[in-house]
Amino acid sequence: MPRLFGTDGVRGLANDVITVELAVGLAQAASVVLGKGRFADGRRASGRRPVGVVARDPRVSGEFIAAAVMAGFASSGVDVLDAGIIPTPAAAFLIADIKADFGVVISASHNAAPDNGIKFFAVGGTKLPDEVEDRIEAALGEKKLAPTGVEVGRIRRFADAEDRYVLHLLSTLPHRLEGIHVVLDCANGAAAGISPEVFTDAGATVTVIGSDPDGYNINEGVGSTHLDNLARAVLEHGADVGIAHDGDADRCLAVDHLGQIVDGDQIMAILAVSMKERGLLADDTLVATVMSNLGLKVAMAEHGITLLQTSVGDRYVLEALTEKKLSLGGEQSGHVIMSQFATTGDGILTGLHLLAEMARTGKSLAELAAVMTVYPQVMINVRGVDQHGLATNTVIADAIRAAEARLGETGRVLLRKSGTEPMVRVMVEAEDQATAQAITESLAEVVREQLAR
């Protein structure tokens, strides 16, 4: 059987993959695994019941899935704090802030409204390692906790959840945002109730789009995966910058005053250089994934910053940040982790600090983004192939070596198998678009021929 947990929790079509039964079962299984002190810190010796925080984004299916998760927890003897609709990073912060034992966010992030997901956080607000997720999955088939009487968990509203998070965000700012006009695209998602308030409180002039969630329109033509509307709004309103979140607000992408996209790599480059100048970039090192643009590595080298690259997934970035005690990392997609202030990607936090750098330097976002030259990058998803044969196919290996020799130091090749479907991703970067396109198409054809099912 394929692994239930993916790169960001359990995700799929609501009421098909993500059912009430699965939600209850996962909560009960997590209570067994996370509530026994084997993964937390043994505080159960005090005799108190474990405490879990539950939050969600505004998609309609989150209503019944969150109810099912809370029922599973309470029936297992866990006291539940229902934080309602808040961003994923807000839930992670709150878990750490109140010293809860674990938590769950019901969200499918940037996916369309019919999908949903269940992602767990451990004590301290960190995502679970693969081995702990595997233990939860295994516990689905084991005996559940079944307390009675006073040992049954309670479900209460987390009344000041938003206020705690807003105050935390504002406390991190190194500079006020007066004089900056920002357009915020809240993706009709979890950021809609918080992001405009925070940027306004920080001193910015705020125009908002994508801020009317109805349960069905999350990510629909708006947010970090649909930046055209944001670019138009920035130009229409004569704004200085646009910030786009995704459905659960753990991403931040930007648009400059000319309507040009500034992606996660460029945002990390801006923040890394700023933090190094201010003595805040631990070990002068930035953590990014292997999918980051080659231009990021070149730019960091020019500024005396080491680029440490990990596997794809913000959890692997976080693992590297934690293990090596580093302060900044993220992904091209806009997941940026500022470990001094957050345990996961935080789109609102990232946007605030990006604008704070504009305010500190007096430079436009376009000027700041010029710190990095973006190399043309082409990716083709080769579907319907046996991706497991990628690592051992000598013909593909020879084709990769030939492509790398052609590119030399001015480009790179990356082939990566999908973890969820029969597909291989072929990505090539080069100094010019035509070269990147030609080499990508050639490699994709080799993969298609060699790994045909």
Side-chain angles (χ1 to χ4, degrees), residues 89 93 125 168 318 321 336-346 349:
F93 164 74
H168 162 67
L318 181 60
L321 289 170
V336 177
I337 303 172
M338 305 182 73
S339 60
Q340 180 182 354
F341 308 118
T343 59
T344 187
D346 189 327
L349 177 73

Side-chain angles (χ1 to χ4, degrees), residues 97-175:
D97 191 47
I98 68 167
K99 297 179 173 58
D101 295 273
F102 44 79
V104 167
V105 175
I106 312 301
S107 174
S109 189
H110 60 282
N111 287 29
D115 288 341
N116 218 322
I118 301 172
K119 44 190 172 184
F120 289 90
F121 290 83
V123 62
T126 59
K127 292 185 178 180
L128 304 185
D130 290 345
E131 59 269 22
V132 179
E133 290 181 336
D134 290 341
R135 281 163 48 196
I136 292 174
E137 186 170 344
L140 280 169
E142 298 175 0
K143 184 178 180 180
K144 306 298 185 290
L145 301 172
T148 59
V150 297
E151 296 302 318
V152 172
R154 305 294 299 272
I155 301 174
R156 295 184 175 89
R157 174 71 181 155
F158 198 149
D160 62 344
E162 287 190 12
D163 291 341
R164 282 175 180 258
Y165 179 56
V166 168
L167 290 173
H168 162 67
L169 290 172
L170 293 173
S171 74
T172 72
L173 271 180
H175 203 291

Side-chain angles (χ1 to χ4, degrees), residues 107-403:
S107 174
S109 189
H110 60 282
N111 287 29
D115 288 341
N116 218 322
I118 301 172
K119 44 190 172 184
F120 289 90
F121 290 83
V123 62
T126 59
K127 292 185 178 180
L128 304 185
D130 290 345
E131 59 269 22
V132 179
E133 290 181 336
D134 290 341
R135 281 163 48 196
I136 292 174
E137 186 170 344
L140 280 169
E142 298 175 0
K143 184 178 180 180
K144 306 298 185 290
L145 301 172
T148 59
V150 297
E151 296 302 318
V152 172
R154 305 294 299 272
I155 301 174
R156 295 184 175 89
R157 174 71 181 155
F158 198 149
D160 62 344
E162 287 190 12
D163 291 341
R164 282 175 180 258
Y165 179 56
V166 168
L167 290 173
H168 162 67
L169 290 172
L170 293 173
S171 74
T172 72
L173 271 180
H175 203 291
R176 296 278 297 170
L177 308 182
E178 275 86 6
I180 297 179
H181 181 183
V182 58
V183 179
L184 299 176
D185 184 345
C186 297
N188 291 322
I194 292 180
S195 190
E197 175 188 351
V198 174
F199 279 86
T200 299
D201 289 349
T205 299
V206 176
T207 299
V208 187
I209 63 175
S211 61
D212 298 303
D214 61 10
Y216 305 96
N217 61 358
I218 188 170
N219 301 314
E220 191 175 89
V222 290
S224 61
T225 53
H226 302 88
L227 293 172
D228 290 348
N229 285 336
L230 179 60
R232 281 194 293 270
V234 167
L235 295 174
E236 177 187 341
H237 293 279
D240 300 300
V241 58
I243 296 293
H245 305 303
D246 60 338
D248 68 338
D250 64 353
R251 293 189 189 191
C252 170
L253 294 180
V255 172
D256 67 21
H257 70 288
L258 301 173
Q260 297 172 327
I261 294 172
V262 177
D263 69 12
D265 285 341
Q266 293 166 289
I267 291 170
M268 286 190 290
I270 293 167
L271 295 179
V273 170
S274 171
M275 290 172 66
K276 184 181 184 233
E277 288 177 355
R278 293 179 289 136
L280 300 175
L281 187 67
D283 204 22
D284 289 342
T285 298
L286 170 68
V287 181
T289 76
V290 293
M291 293 301 291
S292 278
N293 193 275
L294 179 60
L296 179 61
K297 184 176 183 178
V298 173
M300 294 300 92
E302 290 173 350
H303 285 82
I305 296 171
T306 300
L307 182 67
L308 174 64
Q309 292 186 284
T310 72
S311 300
V312 176
D314 63 340
R315 69 164 65 189
Y316 303 113
V317 173
L318 181 60
E319 285 177 5
L321 289 170
T322 303
E323 178 186 342
K324 299 183 180 297
K325 296 181 172 58
L326 301 175
S327 51
L328 181 67
E331 297 184 285
Q332 188 181 63
S333 60
H335 288 117
V336 177
I337 303 172
M338 305 182 73
S339 60
Q340 180 182 354
F341 308 118
T343 59
T344 187
D346 189 327
I348 302 177
L349 177 73
T350 302
L352 286 169
H353 282 257
L354 184 63
L355 267 62
E357 182 62 7
M358 292 172 62
R360 184 182 77 88
T361 61
K363 293 181 178 180
S364 69
L365 181 57
E367 290 174 302
L368 292 174
V371 70
M372 172 184 160
T373 299
V374 179
Y375 280 53
Q377 185 181 80
V378 177
M379 185 165 70
I380 295 177
N381 292 327
V382 184
R383 301 180 185 277
V385 294
D386 177 16
Q387 77 272 37
H388 300 295
L390 178 63
T392 57
N393 190 285
T394 57
V395 175
I396 295 175
D398 288 343
I400 292 173
R401 280 192 289 271

